Amino acid sequence: MSLDSYVTLGRSGLRISPFTLGTMTFGEDHGWGSSPEESTNILAAYLDRGGNSIDTANIYTNGHSEKIVGDYLAGRSALRDRVVLGTKFFGNLYEGDPNGGGPGRKAIVRQLENSLRRLRTDYVDIYWLHNFDPSTPVEETLRALDDMVGDGKVRYVGFSDVPAWATAEAATIARFRGWAPIIALQLEYSLLERTSEGELIPMAQAMGMGVMPWGPLKSGFLSGKYSSSTTGAVDTMRTQLVGAPREADYVVIDALNDVASQVGASPAAVALAWVRGRPGVTSTLVGARRLDQLEANLSALDVSLTEAQRGALNDVSTPALNFPAENNRTLAPMLQFGGATVDGRTSAVSPLLRTSSTRY
């Protein structure tokens, strides 16, 4: 696979690369990001390889990430039109201002105006709700977004880090009202964070939303820097922010490192290849502080895992999901199909069914 093996994002006409370039690290304002020059090199390398999907947010490095992307695309009108540029709203950049962030109409309008100014463009291709506010009426948010689509300032709408029930409610309201639909979700997903398989990913598949995972390397825990046998300090600039793997994480990390040695690829490439091949996933967010890190991540496009290797990673990282996930996975088919094979899956026969042949 290559970056120009484009995929359709959800129930829409938008096509994007299988890896989306995340730019949270663009700018050194937080003490651990990329310089504007290195960020520009990363952007150029991604685009030169056929990538077309760039993701940022108003709050990334306090707006500097958007400015770096905007400065690069400025004056390149043909390139800007080819790129699928997404940014997010919700984060507040103004201390003490209760309307500086969030999903209310006043906040959304101002955030978009500021993002367009920093990005030096008159529209964004995907405008993502970055987080969840249970008190703002969802109709207010959806109608404001629909107005922006109508005004030509936004092309598509996505949700990030919003509960499944709230996303489903919003998607249903938007559909009944004829407002701009939610075409995609951003959510954390990796070998060390699979709980989205309980509600969010099945909901996205059922409602026609593409899934764009973030954190596929779990803050670098799956990058190859860690193993249960590693001693001494690990080379990472964000340890104080993200911490270190838990003891239970090393079971998964060691299994990943083992599969990577079998494949002859880096653990990071194998972890990314695993995410890319999961059900429902459309495009995976990859970021980098240095150009060599980007190249290492993009090497995952060339990694193919055998069924045995993928199965080993699936088994060792199987999550404990909230009720009723396990009930629906095991009990429901047994009750419904009574041992029949349906859609290639064989069900069990309920022991209660076999206690007696009498039927009333």
Side-chain angles (χ1 to χ4, degrees):
M1 181 174 282
S2 60
L3 284 177
D4 58 3
S5 298
Y6 304 113
V7 287
T8 300
L9 185 61
R11 188 183 292 136
S12 78
L14 189 64
R15 277 83 195 194
I16 62 175
S17 295
F19 282 173
T20 290
L21 180 62
T23 65
M24 189 176 70
T25 58
F26 281 17
E28 300 169 300
D29 304 70
H30 297 324
W32 45 262
S34 309
S35 68
E37 294 76 20
E38 186 73 351
S39 300
T40 296
N41 292 336
I42 291 170
L43 269 171
Y46 173 80
L47 295 168
D48 286 346
R49 288 189 54 167
N52 79 332
S53 181
I54 298 173
D55 180 81
T56 184
N58 69 329
I59 203 169
Y60 289 169
T61 51
N62 296 338
H64 198 184
S65 172
E66 287 186 327
K67 186 177 186 304
I68 291 171
V69 173
D71 289 346
Y72 181 83
L73 294 176
R76 296 177 170 92
S77 60
L79 177 60
R80 168 64 192 96
D81 289 339
R82 185 176 72 81
V83 164
V84 176
L85 179 58
T87 193
K88 307 182 192 73
F89 67 94
F90 191 90
N92 195 334
L93 291 171
Y94 306 99
E95 290 187 35
D97 181 0
N99 296 305
R105 178 179 285 271
K106 177 178 173 63
I108 297 175
V109 171
R110 182 66 184 276
Q111 288 173 94
L112 180 62
E113 290 172 348
N114 285 330
S115 286
L116 293 177
R117 172 179 54 81
R118 287 187 289 263
L119 290 167
R120 301 177 67 176
T121 184
D122 57 3
Y123 73 98
V124 292
D125 295 287
I126 311 178
Y127 204 33
W128 299 88
L129 170 60
H130 205 166
N131 218 293
F132 178 53
D133 172 14
S135 62
T136 299
V138 68
E139 292 88 350
E140 179 178 340
T141 303
L142 294 171
R143 180 55 195 270
L145 291 170
D146 186 67
D147 287 344
M148 291 170 175
V149 172
D151 290 341
K153 295 180 179 180
V154 170
R155 299 292 190 257
Y156 296 92
V157 173
F159 272 27
S160 174
D161 303 348
V162 177
W165 68 265
T167 304
E169 177 191 29
T172 302
I173 290 172
R175 186 173 299 176
F176 276 121
R177 297 285 182 88
W179 293 340
I182 301 164
I183 67 162
L185 301 183
Q186 286 194 21
L187 47 82
E188 184 179 5
Y189 192 49
S190 72
L191 281 164
L192 290 175
E193 179 46 77
R194 292 180 56 186
T195 55
S196 292
E197 293 175 11
E199 298 280 351
L200 283 161
I201 292 176
M203 178 213 64
Q205 292 176 290
M207 302 194 76
M209 302 173 193
V211 174
M212 189 180 289
W214 60 265
L217 299 182
K218 191 61 176 179
S219 300
F221 296 174
L222 302 170
S223 66
K225 295 178 180 179
Y226 296 90
S227 76
S228 61
S229 60
T230 298
T231 59
V234 172
D235 176 26
T236 176
M237 298 179 67
R238 292 197 292 162
T239 301
Q240 291 184 341
L241 180 65
V242 301
R246 301 169 302 169
E247 184 175 347
D249 294 337
Y250 283 108
V251 177
V252 178
I253 291 170
D254 288 346
L256 171 67
N257 293 341
D258 180 59
V259 170
S261 66
Q262 297 173 27
V263 175
S266 70
V270 172
L272 288 167
W274 179 87
V275 170
R276 176 170 56 83
R278 295 297 294 168
V281 171
T282 303
S283 179
T284 305
L285 282 158
V286 295
R289 288 188 293 109
R290 304 189 308 268
L291 182 58
D292 63 294
Q293 291 177 333
L294 174 69
E295 296 292 348
N297 287 341
L298 294 185
S299 69
L301 293 166
D302 301 320
V303 173
S304 296
L305 301 176
T306 66
E307 287 301 315
Q309 290 165 342
R310 188 170 286 279
L313 294 175
N314 290 347
D315 291 343
V316 77
S317 64
T318 299
L321 301 176
N322 290 341
F323 179 85
E326 187 63 20
N327 179 289
N328 294 165
R329 188 183 71 85
T330 57
L331 181 61
M334 181 171 65
L335 295 178
Q336 181 177 6
F337 299 125
T341 298
V342 179
D343 296 330
R345 297 178 60 184
T346 300
S347 63
V349 178
S350 168
L352 299 177
L353 195 63
R354 284 180 165 169
T355 57
S356 171
S357 60
T358 305
R359 299 294 181 267
Y360 299 92

